[in-house]
Every structure is written in C-alpha cells, then in structure tokens.
Amino acid sequence: MWVQREIALEPRPRGFHLVTSEVERALPELGEVDVGLCHLFILHTSASLTLNENASPDVRRDFETWFNQAVPERFDWDHSLEGPDDMPAHIKASLLGPSLSLPVSGGRLALGTWQGVYLCEHRDRGGARSLMATVVGQSRREP
Amino acid sequence: MWVQREIALEPRPRGFHLVTSEVERALPELGEVDVGLCHLFILHTSASLTLNENASPDVRRDFETWFNQAVPERFDWDHSLEGPDDMPAHIKASLLGPSLSLPVSGGRLALGTWQGVYLCEHRDRGGARSLMATVVGQSRREP
Amino acid sequence: MWVQREIALEPRPRGFHLVTSEVERALPELGEVDVGLCHLFILHTSASLTLNENASPDVRRDFETWFNQAVPERFDWDHSLEGPDDMPAHIKASLLGPSLSLPVSGGRLALGTWQGVYLCEHRDRGGARSLMATVVGQSRREP
C-alpha cells in the first residue's frame, strides 16, 4: 500500500520543535501498515528535519545554541539579500537534511524510546512549513 | 514498479553544483510513477548529495566557503597520504550524506519550488561521479 | 518482498567503527533481492550511522578528532545532567543522521568500492546499540 499526502505544520518560531504527534495525527493510515517505511520530506530549503531526544526541552535549546555558533550570521556570506538569517538557514538545512525515513512496524512508527521528530526552523519568520509524507508498506489487511 | 540504474554524472570542479535536470533526464521512467520514491545514492566517499536552493549561484558559492572553513585542510589529520583535500572531503561527505530520497508524485519529483539536487564535489579533481538511482512506486498504468 | 528485523550490534567504544559485515550477516535475505533498498535505522539519539571509507583506520580516527573539535564537551550547554559527553553526542548524532538507505542489486548491497557502513558511537559508554533494518525489493524468485 502507498499513501502520499502533503502536511501543513503549525507555524513555529526559530528553533527546534518536537512534531512527532502532529505528524502521526496527519497519517492515520500508519495504523494499517504491518511492515513499512514512512518518508517525511520538507518542501523548503531553510528548515529541516531531524530525529533526536524527545524528553528535555534543554536539548532542543542546545541544538539552537550550537547551530548558531557553528553557522553564524556574521560571516563572509555572498548571499545576503534575503536577510542575515537566510544563508545560515540554508547551510543548517543541508547539515541536518530535508528528510527522514522511519521504519513502520505493527501499525506504528518504530522509533526508539527517546526518539522524536524535530522540525528545525532556521529562519526568524519561516511561517507554516509543509511536508510531503509518503508511506509504503504491507497492509495488515492483506492475506 | 522498480527501476534501478547507474548514472554517470558529468565531471565537475570542486564545489556545489545543481544536477536536478541531469538526473531527471537519466530517469525517464519517473513519468510513469503515480506515487513513489526516488533514491539517489552516490558511489563515492569524497563527494555527496544534498538538496538546497536552486536559484542563486551565490548560495552554492557560500556552501563552498562555509564548508572549507568548518572542515579545513590545515588540521591535525592522520590521514594525509591522498592529499590535503582528501580527509576534509570524507568529513564533508558524511556531514551532507551519500543519498537523497525524494518523493515522486504524478510522474514528477515532488520538490518544493526552490529545491534542487546538488552534487557536492569535495575533491580538487574528483572526476566523473556515479550515482545508483532506484525508483519504486505505483505505476500510472496499473489498474 | 519485505524483511524487517531488529539487529543488536556488538558494543563498541566511543569512535567510528566499520559494521558492514556485521549488518550483512544479520540480513541473509539480501541474497534474494534482485532490485531493492535496505534501510538501516539506529534506535538511539547519541549514536548514528554514516557511510565512508572502508580501508584506512586513520580515516575513522580523524572522524573522531574532527567531531570532538567541532562539537566540544566544554561548551555553553544547558543539558549537562547526563554527563559531558551526552549533549555533544546528540548534536553529532543529528549531523550524521540516524539512518542509511542503501541500494540492493543482484542480491547484494550496491556500495561503491570504498564505501562501508560506520557505526558512530558518540558516548563514552554507549553499550550495545540496536538497529531496525527494513529491506524492500523485488525477489529474485518471483516470475
């Protein structure tokens, strides 16, 4: 079985945000998948997706601190027309990547206990971000 | 349906290069895929693939500038036999990653408006790079 | 055909480790896949997977050196309760990523000559790490 759907995420401020539940709610068909994969793909180049610790908000704050230091706004950027947060956002987006492929097992995302999906918003005002979600797998209903 | 094919990309100088069209031309079967995924995998460890802004060449130049500063040739490298550009190339390749999984929808790569596929050439003289492309999906011809 | 299996890797010390053979041994069904994909997913947030040079141990040592310098233990971390190696481990894990999607062709992983799967152990005492492996493809036995 295949499911493909665009998901509009709630707008969020610059930073790293847990969106696992929001994504799962948008994909009720996951419940029908016995064995499969769920591909999440962000349709933007200044925000990204990653998987990390789902418990402590200070982990997500430390992500923001480290990435701001590693890819600073004050740098020898050629591309500065779209604001000082734009070019660092592009670099951060490629360091973290535009997609996640997650295993699906027994009708659920097969994540580790501490794993959650992060929306990484690298712009000051990125607005609502869209994902293209693609699920492929063996249906639980098939003989 | 499954399609798998090795694609030899044109050789390019060190830097970040848009290759979306070149990849699409090599995969005419994408036109037959209603819903699916296109997996692009680079068969090398000193070049990589990423997805980023497809419009401004200065964005791609800024990628080269930032990555050269973050992973410098002058560093305490043990592995230096293959030249000063080799070990930084390996690190950059893993930071960006060897593959991209892209959604396919209605016979086309379902990319965001500003998204393009970058070949990231991290060596001074990397030569022609090869991708293994694997497409899986529901055919538009199937009932 | 679909195969999905959790693989418990041997425990390894902090650093970068080649695990290609260990993974292949745990997935004998790869031999039945004519064309497909093998998705490896680590069920942890302080270790990661990447693909890089499979020959020189000094490349893997240089990975450890560079990542320790880029994401240092001495930094302005908020999240420090789990030890000085914990928060850097989370950042490194997201820079490298939790998963690899590898092409399968003619019953084997279709890797480049010099490519190997690295387990990236970012904790001092990470213990045994688990992967969820998902293989999907066309069986060689199907007509």
Side-chain angles (χ1 to χ4, degrees):
Chain A
M1 61 178 280
W2 286 86
V3 177
Q4 192 173 62
R5 179 177 302 133
E6 196 170 323
I7 303 173
L9 296 176
E10 301 280 316
R12 283 168 170 97
R14 177 165 164 169
F16 291 74
H17 306 278
L18 261 183
V19 297
T20 320
S21 305
E22 191 176 342
V23 168
E24 286 173 328
R25 277 196 304 274
L27 294 170
E29 297 91 343
L30 287 173
E32 299 169 32
V33 179
D34 192 31
V35 175
L37 291 168
C38 175
H39 181 254
L40 303 173
F41 180 82
I42 199 161
L43 294 159
H44 309 272
T45 61
S46 59
S48 57
L49 297 173
T50 194
L51 208 78
N52 221 290
E53 214 254 33
N54 59 13
S56 309
D58 50 359
V59 170
R60 300 193 290 281
R61 280 196 302 274
D62 281 343
F63 265 79
E64 180 67 12
T65 306
W66 185 83
F67 275 91
N68 287 342
Q69 167 269 326
V71 193
E73 298 198 353
R74 296 175 72 104
F75 185 77
D76 185 23
W77 303 119
D78 273 354
H79 182 77
S80 54
L81 272 175
E82 298 177 57
D85 60 328
D86 184 63
M87 194 56 225
H90 289 307
I91 302 277
K92 292 170 184 173
S94 276
L95 286 172
L96 290 161
S99 73
L100 287 173
S101 290
L102 307 173
V104 185
S105 183
R108 303 180 57 197
L109 295 179
L111 303 181
T113 311
W114 304 102
Q115 288 182 311
V117 176
Y118 285 17
L119 169 68
C120 318
E121 176 53 75
H122 305 304
R123 296 299 307 263
D124 290 339
R125 280 171 291 280
R129 300 297 197 166
S130 293
L131 307 184
M132 183 67 84
T134 306
V135 178
V136 55
Q138 277 186 315
S139 168
R140 303 174 85 171
R141 293 178 186 166
E142 282 167 20
Chain B
M1 62 179 279
W2 286 87
V3 177
Q4 191 173 62
R5 179 176 303 134
E6 196 169 325
I7 303 174
L9 296 175
E10 300 281 314
R12 284 168 169 95
R14 179 165 163 167
F16 292 74
H17 306 278
L18 261 183
V19 297
T20 320
S21 306
E22 190 175 343
V23 168
E24 286 173 329
R25 276 197 304 273
L27 293 170
E29 298 91 342
L30 288 172
E32 300 169 31
V33 179
D34 192 32
V35 175
L37 291 168
C38 174
H39 181 254
L40 304 174
F41 180 82
I42 198 161
L43 295 159
H44 309 273
T45 61
S46 59
S48 57
L49 297 175
T50 195
L51 208 77
N52 221 289
E53 214 254 32
N54 60 14
S56 311
D58 50 1
V59 170
R60 300 194 291 281
R61 280 195 301 273
D62 281 343
F63 264 79
E64 180 67 12
T65 305
W66 185 83
F67 275 91
N68 287 341
Q69 167 269 326
V71 194
E73 299 198 352
R74 295 174 72 104
F75 186 76
D76 185 24
W77 303 118
D78 272 355
H79 183 79
S80 54
L81 273 176
E82 297 177 57
D85 60 328
D86 184 63
M87 195 56 225
H90 289 306
I91 301 276
K92 293 170 185 173
S94 276
L95 287 171
L96 291 161
S99 72
L100 287 173
S101 289
L102 307 172
V104 185
S105 183
R108 302 181 56 197
L109 294 179
L111 304 181
T113 312
W114 304 102
Q115 289 181 310
V117 176
Y118 286 17
L119 168 68
C120 317
E121 176 54 74
H122 305 304
R123 297 297 311 260
D124 291 338
R125 280 171 291 280
R129 300 297 196 166
S130 293
L131 307 183
M132 182 68 84
T134 306
V135 178
V136 55
Q138 277 186 314
S139 168
R140 303 175 85 169
R141 294 177 186 166
E142 283 167 19
Chain C
M1 61 178 280
W2 287 87
V3 177
Q4 192 173 61
R5 179 176 304 134
E6 197 170 323
I7 302 173
L9 296 176
E10 301 280 316
R12 284 168 169 95
R14 179 165 162 168
F16 292 74
H17 306 278
L18 261 184
V19 297
T20 320
S21 306
E22 191 176 342
V23 168
E24 287 174 328
R25 276 197 305 273
L27 293 170
E29 298 91 343
L30 287 172
E32 299 169 32
V33 179
D34 192 31
V35 175
L37 291 169
C38 174
H39 180 254
L40 303 174
F41 180 82
I42 199 162
L43 294 160
H44 308 273
T45 62
S46 58
S48 57
L49 297 175
T50 195
L51 208 77
N52 220 290
E53 213 254 34
N54 60 14
S56 309
D58 50 0
V59 170
R60 300 194 291 280
R61 278 195 303 272
D62 281 343
F63 265 78
E64 180 67 12
T65 306
W66 185 85
F67 275 91
N68 287 341
Q69 167 270 325
V71 193
E73 299 199 353
R74 297 175 72 104
F75 186 76
D76 185 23
W77 303 118
D78 273 355
H79 182 79
S80 54
L81 273 175
E82 297 177 55
D85 60 329
D86 184 63
M87 194 57 225
H90 289 308
I91 302 276
K92 293 170 185 174
S94 276
L95 286 172
L96 291 161
S99 72
L100 288 173
S101 289
L102 307 174
V104 185
S105 185
R108 301 182 56 198
L109 295 179
L111 303 181
T113 311
W114 304 102
Q115 289 182 310
V117 177
Y118 285 17
L119 168 68
C120 318
E121 176 53 74
H122 304 305
R123 296 299 308 264
D124 290 338
R125 279 171 291 279
R129 300 296 197 168
S130 293
L131 306 183
M132 182 68 84
T134 306
V135 178
V136 55
Q138 278 186 314
S139 169
R140 303 175 84 168
R141 293 176 186 167
E142 282 166 20

